[in-house]
Amino acid sequence: MSNKKQAAQAYWKENLKLLLTLLVVWFAVSYGCGILFVDALDAIKIGGFPLGFWFAQQGSIYTFVILIFVYTARMNTLDRKYDVHEE
C-alpha cells in the first residue's frame, strides 16, 4: 500500500473519530439534558428558569454552535497535519 493511500486512510479515520465524538456530545446535550435528565436538571434554576428547560430551549443551541467552531478548528488542524489544507 502506498504512503499516500495510508495517509488518506489515517486522515479519514481521524475525521470519523472526531465526528463520532462531536455527535456523542450533541446527542448527550440535546437528548440527555433536554429529555432524559430534565427532571434532575430542573432542580437547578438559572435566571429563574429550570436548567432542564434552559437546555431544551437555549443550551442545546449554544452547544451546537460551539460544536461547529470546535469541528472547524479541529479539521483545520487535521488538514494541516495531513497536508490537505487549502491555501
Side-chain angles (χ1 to χ4, degrees), residues 67-81:
L67 288 177
I68 290 169
F69 285 110
V70 168
Y71 179 74
T72 302
R74 296 290 306 268
M75 282 307 297
N76 283 336
T77 303
L78 195 61
D79 288 350
R80 285 188 180 83
K81 178 180 175 183

Side-chain angles (χ1 to χ4, degrees), residues 29-40:
V29 170
S30 65
Y31 191 71
C33 294
I35 297 172
L36 293 178
F37 309 118
V38 69
D39 292 332

Side-chain angles (χ1 to χ4, degrees), residues 34-50:
I35 297 172
L36 293 178
F37 309 118
V38 69
D39 292 332
L41 292 173
D42 280 347
I44 302 168
K45 306 273 186 203
I46 292 180
F49 295 101

Side-chain angles (χ1 to χ4, degrees), residues 38-66:
V38 69
D39 292 332
L41 292 173
D42 280 347
I44 302 168
K45 306 273 186 203
I46 292 180
F49 295 101
L51 186 59
F53 173 79
W54 186 85
F55 263 108
Q57 299 300 318
Q58 300 294 323
S60 296
I61 295 169
Y62 292 142
T63 303
F64 300 151
V65 171
I66 291 168

